Amino acid sequence: MMAENKIDNSGKARIEDGIEDSIKKTVKSEEKTSLYDYIAAAAVDGRLPKDFALPRYALDDSQIAWMDGAMDGVNVYHMGFSEISAENSALMAEAVQAASGKEFEKADQLFGRLGQVVRAINIIDELQEYVMEHREELSASHVFEYAVNTVLHSGDRECVKFGISLLELFDTDDNDELKMVIRTLGLSDEFTIFAVFVMLRWENGNDEVYRLAREIHGWGRIHAIERIEPETEEIKKWLLTEGVHNAVMPAYSALTCWRKSDAENVLKGNPSRDEFCGIRDMIRGLLDEGPVSGISQIENAADIINAFLKQAAAFELDLEDYEAVREIRRYFEGGDSGDSAVAALCQELLTSDSCRALVTDAVRDGRAIELAEDLGLDFLDDILKLLQTSFDSHIYLCGLLIHDPKYRETVFELFRQKLPLEEMKTEPTKSLGLGQEFRKQQYLESALQELKRYPLEYPEFVETALQSAPIRTRNLGIAVLEAWADAKETPLAELMPEMHSLLCRLREIEPDEKVKSRMERLINGAVRFHDGTV
């Protein structure tokens, strides 16, 4: 292998001759849809439509479809990385050797098999280390050509990621055509983190990642923000005002944006309205420590919150501001993080006339419900009007009325009017019922969630649920019966003989073993479910 084709010790390789030809001469497979082409065709002016998604992982409606980038995001933030097994390591090595030997079809098959058992995000380091350790025996030009072919023409997500990871080892900064390919793939949240790793090898890599982050909104933005350096005031300002705004959860980027944007010093100065709103949104993300650490990692958190609340006096606050103040009060009003002074300052803002007026208007549209409850506003009549005039849009509010005896019958009568209960009884399937075609079943599920609290009331809704097509709906019907048997400490056969007979019949045609098992527990007389005993 010629010296200019070797991968060097810094982890890069320079393919001196034919680098552009390698792109042009790759052969497109006719057997699969190219994911690159799919993305490129959807991109308009350097961005993808908000509802863009790659072809889903789920093969049918019995599987949950992950949003683009979500599986890798969960791996990065929640699962950690484990060592690759010897078997998978050998499979990876065989795939690289096939690529080096220009056995591209074989390499595709091997990398495809590898991607089915281990995600590319988990073995980037191992893949690149293997190539570096064997650089003297590998053909850099063939590995490069294979990587380009894969990112351009593969229809397999993990294979595309393997291809991008291989390209990270090469000097691609002078290849404008290939850089456009990487930028395009980076627009998809599924591939952003891999594209970012390549971009950071370019001379202006930080600017490239910043420009990309501005055009994406899901997991890709989260990954990009983690790797952006606040080298300019423009980047700092964007991280301050826009960084936490993503389609996943602001919490994932809140602490990173707080530190990189110098938000604390901005807050202590004279922030503009835009800056104040950015700090507000970061604080809300910091308070939400469900997915990742946030405000607990800031030593002077109470001082920062006090500064924010005092700055609030300089602005005419809107509903989002008051929602943030409510979240601050809830965090600081008790427990280990309690601070009575902060809580009192929040309460003062929340009980102001301007806050009450904004919330009163908002609940008429179904907004700020929790804040209205905190303020003790009487808004249930407004909720009933919303359900009566726009049931589809406000079905999620039905629980507020069902729990009040004054409204319960009225709400269930609305459900009777909206749901053709008899028509909804059909053969059981293994569908989860997630599509628009199951909209009525989803409405029924809203009612079932509330019925658990009211033994023996409105059994006709449970009967329909048990005879519905989606697994999820049937499971909720069973959950209601479990709750009723538990609350009454009475076997279903004694509690509801007709329902018991129906369940016996349905058991015989139930296609899902887990659902059938739950049916059998009820049929066999179980009366305790919440503590796991029978």
Side-chain angles (χ1 to χ4, degrees):
M1 185 168 61
M2 297 185 63
E4 63 265 28
N5 285 341
K6 289 182 181 178
I7 300 172
D8 66 28
N9 291 327
S10 67
K12 294 183 179 181
R14 179 91 178 167
I15 308 299
E16 297 290 351
D17 300 313
I19 192 168
E20 292 185 2
D21 288 342
S22 293
I23 297 176
K24 295 175 181 176
K25 70 183 180 182
T26 52
V27 180
K28 183 173 182 179
S29 168
E30 298 298 330
E31 297 178 0
K32 296 181 179 179
T33 300
S34 162
L35 293 177
Y36 168 75
D37 287 344
Y38 191 85
I39 296 166
V44 178
D45 296 329
R47 67 184 61 176
L48 292 172
K50 288 185 177 181
D51 60 350
F52 174 84
L54 294 175
R56 294 300 191 188
Y57 280 117
L59 299 178
D60 57 57
D61 193 39
S62 68
Q63 302 177 44
I64 295 175
W66 291 69
M67 67 185 295
D68 290 351
M71 293 183 76
D72 284 345
V74 169
N75 268 269
V76 170
Y77 283 91
H78 302 293
M79 304 298 291
F81 298 103
S82 57
E83 290 187 12
I84 184 173
S85 69
E87 182 180 358
N88 291 335
S89 181
L91 181 58
M92 178 189 72
E94 189 180 357
V96 173
Q97 291 290 345
S100 175
K102 209 167 184 179
E103 298 177 277
F104 291 171
E105 186 174 343
K106 179 180 178 181
D108 279 342
Q109 294 172 353
L110 294 170
F111 273 120
R113 282 170 51 195
L114 183 62
Q116 291 175 1
V117 293
V118 58
R119 300 190 64 76
I121 193 70
N122 291 328
I123 58 169
I124 293 176
D125 292 342
E126 288 83 354
L127 175 63
Q128 294 176 348
E129 285 171 7
Y130 178 85
V131 175
M132 292 302 302
E133 289 171 0
H134 296 81
R135 59 187 178 274
E136 296 296 332
E137 65 191 68
L138 295 173
S139 166
S141 60
H142 291 169
V143 171
F144 176 82
E145 185 179 343
Y146 172 75
V148 172
N149 186 77
T150 299
V151 299
L152 283 174
H153 304 314
S154 178
D156 184 301
R157 297 183 186 207
E158 298 306 304
C159 284
V160 172
K161 295 171 190 176
F162 288 131
I164 302 174
S165 297
L166 289 172
L167 288 178
E168 189 185 342
L169 295 172
F170 294 84
D171 184 358
T172 57
D173 200 12
D174 294 332
N175 190 319
D176 291 337
E177 188 174 358
L178 186 53
K179 288 171 78 171
M180 283 304 302
V181 171
I182 297 300
R183 292 183 188 116
T184 299
L185 287 168
L187 293 173
S188 167
D189 292 305
E190 188 73 18
F191 303 121
T192 303
I193 189 170
F194 299 88
V196 164
F197 290 148
V198 176
M199 289 175 174
L200 290 176
R201 299 275 188 169
W202 302 341
E203 183 177 354
N204 297 317
N206 194 61
D207 290 338
E208 290 277 358
V209 176
Y210 167 56
R211 285 194 289 270
L212 176 61
R214 296 178 62 177
E215 304 302 337
I216 54 183
H217 301 279
W219 278 103
R221 173 173 283 197
I222 294 168
H223 294 312
I225 283 173
E226 283 294 326
R227 291 155 183 86
I228 290 172
E229 292 300 325
E231 295 177 342
T232 66
E233 288 304 313
E234 179 185 343
I235 294 176
K236 282 186 179 180
K237 181 69 175 289
W238 183 82
L239 290 170
L240 180 75
T241 59
E242 296 292 336
V244 298
H245 299 154
N246 61 62
V248 185
M249 290 181 73
Y252 282 105
S253 296
L255 188 59
T256 299
C257 288
W258 182 269
R259 290 169 171 167
K260 290 184 177 182
S261 68
D262 198 22
E264 183 173 348
N265 284 326
V266 175
L267 180 61
K268 291 178 179 177
N270 185 29
S272 66
R273 177 61 177 169
D274 283 347
E275 291 170 335
F276 176 81
C277 290
I279 290 170
R280 174 202 67 200
D281 294 344
M282 274 190 279
I283 287 175
R284 296 182 76 172
L286 290 168
L287 292 171
D288 177 14
E289 295 195 288
V292 291
S293 296
I295 199 165
S296 62
Q297 299 300 304
I298 299 177
E299 292 184 3
N300 58 334
D303 293 339
I304 288 170
I305 296 300
N306 267 307
F308 171 77
L309 294 173
K310 289 175 182 177
Q311 285 285 4
F315 300 100
E316 182 179 346
L317 302 184
D318 60 23
L319 194 60
E320 282 191 79
D321 298 325
Y322 287 120
E323 292 277 17
V325 172
R326 173 181 175 271
E327 291 169 21
I328 292 169
R329 188 195 65 184
R330 293 186 67 183
Y331 185 88
F332 284 94
E333 66 185 355
D336 295 337
S337 57
D339 188 311
S340 58
V342 170
L345 195 51
C346 291
Q347 188 65 12
E348 182 180 339
L349 290 168
L350 293 173
T351 55
S352 65
D353 289 342
S354 60
C355 178
R356 294 180 70 88
L358 281 172
V359 175
T360 298
D361 286 340
V363 294
R364 291 174 183 146
D365 297 324
R367 297 177 293 124
I369 299 300
E370 291 182 343
L371 191 47
E373 289 181 306
D374 281 0
L375 295 175
L377 300 181
D378 183 5
F379 59 88
L380 292 185
D381 281 344
D382 292 322
I383 300 302
L384 179 59
K385 289 177 183 176
L386 284 173
L387 284 172
Q388 290 171 330
T389 57
S390 51
F391 184 84
D392 292 10
S393 302
H394 297 95
I395 182 70
Y396 63 95
L397 297 173
C398 68
L400 293 169
L401 299 178
I402 289 174
H403 300 321
D404 188 320
K406 174 183 174 183
Y407 297 95
R408 190 176 306 145
E409 178 55 38
T410 302
V411 173
F412 276 105
E413 183 55 37
L414 269 175
F415 274 108
R416 292 190 189 97
Q417 294 171 13
K418 299 292 182 179
L419 300 179
L421 296 178
E422 287 302 316
E423 293 178 19
M424 292 168 62
K425 296 176 182 179
T426 185
E427 292 295 316
T429 71
K430 288 192 174 184
S431 168
L432 292 179
L434 301 178
Q436 269 297 109
E437 65 268 30
F438 296 109
R439 184 167 47 90
K440 288 184 172 61
Q441 285 80 3
Q442 292 160 14
Y443 292 168
L444 175 59
E445 291 163 14
S446 297
L448 294 170
Q449 291 284 9
E450 310 305 331
L451 277 179
K452 295 177 184 178
R453 303 188 188 189
Y454 307 106
L456 309 186
E457 294 191 34
Y458 310 102
E460 66 271 29
F461 292 93
V462 181
E463 290 177 4
T464 297
L466 295 173
Q467 298 172 80
S468 293
I471 286 179
R472 192 174 65 178
T473 312
R474 299 198 303 279
N475 267 323
L476 274 172
I478 292 170
V480 173
L481 294 182
E482 290 174 345
W484 290 358
D486 192 293
K488 294 294 186 179
E489 298 184 350
T490 305
L492 184 65
E494 180 180 341
L495 186 67
M496 305 179 73
E498 292 184 3
M499 193 74 76
H500 182 270
S501 298
L502 173 63
L503 212 57
C504 289
R505 295 195 302 273
L506 295 176
R507 174 184 55 181
E508 302 306 315
I509 60 171
E510 175 55 51
D512 185 86
E513 290 302 318
K514 291 182 179 179
V515 176
K516 184 180 291 188
S517 177
R518 293 184 69 185
M519 289 178 170
E520 288 173 348
R521 287 193 71 195
L522 282 163
I523 290 168
N524 293 336
V527 296
R528 299 295 301 277
F529 296 90
H530 296 165
D531 63 1
T533 63
V534 179

